[in-house]
């Protein structure tokens, strides 16, 4: 079977890590019809926009895409392409596994977690009112009229919507993910002791859905501040974590740091009708074109894509090849060497070639 996959190389280091990833996926033997689409800086140069409408249409058709990072130009009037893609395709679940890889600078060898972060609402919904604007003043007057707790008049306001709909679908996703990926436990992470309505709704939804999975998946809930401490001290107690958008963003970076940093952290954005896989890291413009950065995060994102395409044997072989190369520690990029200036560090494409060589054996 040939799978149709849209590939968005992106900009900065994106094209380098994407081509390294593509070679590794092709080396697994899985047949992919790659449809390459231009986004980010090259698309601005060619089409005057970082996200041409045809890209969304291409992903809607293929239903599966993998992308390199894309720079968000600051102060040039362009909205983040990443946010636009997530919204246009309603990619509501951001899934980030964090698993120890021998040979990395991981702080704890017992980490094997999957973070399921809600991607569409919470304080990231973009409903904000700047200090001293008419809108902020009207809103504050309205709040102060109906609430015992008063808001200072010189406040800026960000709104935190947490809906039943959004909470149900991400929590259900986390439980289904646990079932289909052989995971044992789902933990709802929240701050419902303080935000009794928003986080309280999320927690109660977790408890309700957990009842449907009783006997199959263990459920618990932990306050987000306690969770951060527990993750550092006892990560082996946790398995799948499900969080609202802001906590998910912070906790997934914490977990990426615990397993060795941005160069090896993969991610997936999943919706009902499309899935988009991408490394957690950004476009690292200062390294662009140098064949220097680590391709692992993008290659492990492709492992998640292969699992999504139900190419589980290829996914497992590719992940093992990455692990073997990093464990050996020879054909790895500078960030995986004990000394970042180690002259034996190899380039992006050479590390990918070493991974392909392991795969073929
Ligand atoms: P970044 O992740 O691009 O880079 C920060 C640092 O992390 C780099 O200087 C480098 O030292 C290290 N690093 C990143 N990727 C690496 C790799 N593969 N191998 C080795 N080291 C690596 O973060 P930033 O500098 O904050 O962001 C740069 C641009 O990327 C910004 O415009 C930002 O908006 C964008 N961004 C895009 C995405 C995305 O496309 N999903 C995600 C994050 C940031």
């Amino acid at each position: 079977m040939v799978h149709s996959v849209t590939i968005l190389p992106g900009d900065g280091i994106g094209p380098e890590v994407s081509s390294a990833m593509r070679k590794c996926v092709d080396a697994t033997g899985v047949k992919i019809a790659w449809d390459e689409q231009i986004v980010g800086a090259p698309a601005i140069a060619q089409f005057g926009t970082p996200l041409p409408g045809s890209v969304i249409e291409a992903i809607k058709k293929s239903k599966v895409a993998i992308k390199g990072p894309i720079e968000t130009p600051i102060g040039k009037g362009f909205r983040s392409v990443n946010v636009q893609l997530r919204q246009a395709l309603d990619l509501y679940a951001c899934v980030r596994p964090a698993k120890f890889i021998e040979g990395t600078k991981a702080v704890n060898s017992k980490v094997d977690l999957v973070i399921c972060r809600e991607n569409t609402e919470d304080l990231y919904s973009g409903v904000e009112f700047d200090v001293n604007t008419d809108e902020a003043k009207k809103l504050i007057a309205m709040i102060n009229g109906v609430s015992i707790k008063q808001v200072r008049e010189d406040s800026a306001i960000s709104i935190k919507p947490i809906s039943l709909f959004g909470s149900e679908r991400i929590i259900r996703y986390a439980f289904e993910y646990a079932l289909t990926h052989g995971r044992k436990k789902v933990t709802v992470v929240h701050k419902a002791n303080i935000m009794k309505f928003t986080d309280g709704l999320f927690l109660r939804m977790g408890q309700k859905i957990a009842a449907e999975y009783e006997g199959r998946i263990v459920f618990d809930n932990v306050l987000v501040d306690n969770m951060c401490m527990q993750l550092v001290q006892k990560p082996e107690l946790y398995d799948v974590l499900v969080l609202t958008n802001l906590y998910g963003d912070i906790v997934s970076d914490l977990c990426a740091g615990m397993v060795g940093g941005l160069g090896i952290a993969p991610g997936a954005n999943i919706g009902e009708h499309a899935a988009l896989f991408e490394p957690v890291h950004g476009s690292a413009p200062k390294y662009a074109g140098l064949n220097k950065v680590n391709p692992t995060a993008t290659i492990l994102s492709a492992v998640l894509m292969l699992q999504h395409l139900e190419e589980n044997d290829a996914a497992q072989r590719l992940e093992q090849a990455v692990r073997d190369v990093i464990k050996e520690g020879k054909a790895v990029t500078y960030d995986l060497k004990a000394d970042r200036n180690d002259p034996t560090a190899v380039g992006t494409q050479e590390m990918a070639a070493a991974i392909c060589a392991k795969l073929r054996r």
Side-chain angles (χ1 to χ4, degrees):
M1 180 185 179
V2 180
H3 303 281
S4 298
V5 172
T6 308
I7 178 167
L8 316 174
D11 55 30
I13 57 169
E16 298 159 59
V17 290
S18 298
S19 77
M21 173 279 298
R22 188 165 161 173
K23 280 181 206 137
C24 293
V25 172
D26 287 339
T28 65
V30 172
K31 301 255 175 302
I32 306 252
W34 300 101
D35 171 28
E36 186 166 322
Q37 297 283 332
I38 300 175
V39 291
I44 297 175
Q46 204 169 325
F47 307 110
T49 166
L51 184 61
S54 54
V55 175
I56 303 280
E57 290 315 309
I59 301 174
K60 281 186 177 162
K61 204 166 145 220
S62 66
K63 298 186 176 20
V64 179
I66 186 158
K67 67 178 272 294
I70 302 167
E71 186 188 351
T72 304
I74 296 169
K76 291 192 189 155
F78 291 113
R79 281 173 64 215
S80 158
V81 172
N82 301 304
V83 173
Q84 283 189 69
L85 282 168
R86 281 170 211 160
Q87 287 177 349
L89 299 164
D90 195 21
L91 303 172
Y92 67 89
C94 177
V95 183
R96 290 181 177 172
K99 190 171 167 188
F100 172 69
I101 301 179
E102 200 175 342
T104 59
K105 294 169 191 153
V107 294
N108 191 317
S109 63
K110 292 180 188 150
V111 180
D112 182 5
L113 298 157
V114 178
I115 320 292
C116 293
R117 163 187 169 195
E118 205 288 327
N119 231 356
T120 65
E121 46 184 39
D122 194 1
L123 284 162
Y124 284 45
S125 58
V127 186
E128 291 197 289
F129 302 92
D130 203 356
V131 66
N132 289 331
T133 56
D134 285 349
E135 293 80 8
K137 284 180 188 161
K138 267 190 223 155
L139 190 60
I140 291 166
M142 193 272 284
I143 293 167
N144 288 346
V146 296
S147 169
I148 301 163
K149 300 266 165 56
Q150 299 289 289
V151 175
R152 290 193 185 102
E153 279 174 18
D154 60 347
S155 300
I157 308 257
S158 294
I159 303 288
K160 171 174 166 137
I162 302 287
S163 69
L164 289 166
F165 173 81
S167 302
E168 175 162 10
R169 71 176 175 172
I170 187 65
I171 295 169
R172 208 170 272 292
Y173 180 87
F175 274 92
E176 281 302 312
Y177 182 98
L179 265 190
T180 52
H181 290 75
R183 299 266 172 177
K184 304 274 179 280
K185 178 172 164 183
V186 171
T187 303
V188 165
V189 183
H190 61 90
K191 192 75 183 167
N193 56 334
I194 303 295
M195 280 161 279
K196 295 185 195 319
F197 300 136
T198 48
D199 286 29
L201 181 157
F202 195 73
L203 171 60
R204 286 190 295 278
M205 183 60 78
Q207 290 162 332
K208 181 174 159 231
I209 293 172
E212 295 173 29
Y213 290 82
E214 206 177 333
R216 295 183 292 167
I217 302 289
V218 177
F219 168 74
D220 71 352
N221 73 88
V222 179
L223 293 171
V224 64
D225 42 349
N226 184 19
M227 188 80 240
C228 292
M229 189 187 67
Q230 301 260 342
L231 283 173
V232 173
Q233 294 189 332
K234 298 179 253 180
E236 67 277 14
L237 295 185
Y238 298 96
D239 193 347
V240 175
L241 309 181
V242 59
L243 311 91
T244 49
N245 208 339
L246 176 62
Y247 306 148
D249 194 10
I250 297 166
V251 170
S252 55
D253 266 31
L254 169 71
C255 293
M258 286 169 64
V259 294
L262 283 175
I264 58 169
N269 296 287
I270 311 280
E272 289 292 320
H273 306 292
L276 174 69
F277 300 84
E278 61 176 335
V280 172
H281 65 71
S283 61
K286 70 177 177 192
Y287 291 114
L290 301 180
N291 186 39
K292 191 170 162 73
V293 295
N294 191 342
T296 301
T298 312
I299 296 170
L300 291 179
S301 300
V303 168
L304 301 179
M305 180 185 81
L306 289 169
Q307 288 171 352
H308 179 83
L309 294 169
E310 298 185 351
E311 295 284 359
N312 292 319
D313 172 64
Q316 198 268 330
R317 284 187 292 118
L318 181 53
E319 183 178 347
Q320 194 55 50
V322 170
R323 287 178 170 271
D324 290 347
V325 167
I326 295 178
K327 186 177 172 187
E328 247 173 48
K330 287 184 195 148
V332 296
T333 46
Y334 72 100
D335 56 312
L336 291 172
K337 294 283 187 185
D339 170 8
R340 288 168 78 89
N341 298 315
D342 186 336
T344 67
V346 302
T348 312
Q349 303 309 324
E350 290 70 28
M351 183 165 173
I355 293 167
C356 292
K358 287 275 182 219
L359 256 176
R360 285 194 204 102
R361 272 181 224 147

